[in-house]
Amino acid sequence: MSENYEIGMRVRREVLGDAHVDRAEAAKVDFDAPFQTLITEGAWGTLWADDTISRRERSMLTLALLAATGNFEEIPMHIRASRNTGAEPRDVLQAFMHVAVYAGVPKANHAIKLAKQTYAELGVEI
């Protein structure tokens, strides 16, 4: 594997946690292996590995972008990951409030609903 893959796998585990990455790796088959390599090298080994901005900031940006583009299925995963990046629930709420103003209240409302559900599952007081 490439150096970016190795870095990406380390960062991916640091942000998402070993249990999540282990489940994703166990579910990987020949069909989606190239995609898994792409996101490990590109998203995790390049973008998330860059230290220009903090992981806290990356979490908030990622959550805002997911909500703004209507990609809600990954929001709970990134809410869980925020425990490892330093993004507090109040930070996440601020990101979603930006979504409300710049991308639409319904998208922010749904993202906040998902965040509340995920925090409840995690036992996090909000």
Side-chain angles (χ1 to χ4, degrees), residues 27-44:
K28 181 171 63 176
V29 297
D30 287 344
F31 176 74
D32 67 339
F35 174 75
Q36 291 296 321
T37 299
L38 173 73
I39 62 172
T40 300
E41 290 177 343
W44 299 105

Side-chain angles (χ1 to χ4, degrees), residues 3-104:
E3 181 180 355
N4 273 11
Y5 184 89
E6 299 302 324
I7 292 167
M9 190 56 75
R10 178 183 50 79
V11 171
R12 189 176 173 197
R13 288 183 177 282
E14 290 170 2
V15 172
L16 299 177
D18 287 331
H20 175 87
V21 176
D22 289 345
R23 281 191 306 276
E25 287 294 296
K28 181 171 63 176
V29 297
D30 287 344
F31 176 74
D32 67 339
F35 174 75
Q36 291 296 321
T37 299
L38 173 73
I39 62 172
T40 300
E41 290 177 343
W44 299 105
T46 302
L47 187 64
W48 277 85
D50 186 293
D51 64 358
T52 303
I53 62 173
S54 71
R55 288 188 181 168
R56 174 184 164 272
E57 293 166 313
R58 284 193 197 284
S59 280
M60 292 164 33
L61 281 168
T62 300
L63 285 162
L65 287 164
L66 288 170
T69 58
N71 290 297
F72 298 110
E73 61 280 347
E74 290 203 0
I75 286 177
M77 174 183 72
H78 280 281
I79 293 288
R80 288 188 296 273
S82 70
R83 295 176 301 168
N84 299 325
T85 66
E88 300 288 333
R90 64 191 168 111
D91 301 324
V92 171
L93 178 61
Q94 287 299 311
F96 292 152
M97 289 176 70
H98 269 69
V99 170
V101 170
Y102 291 101

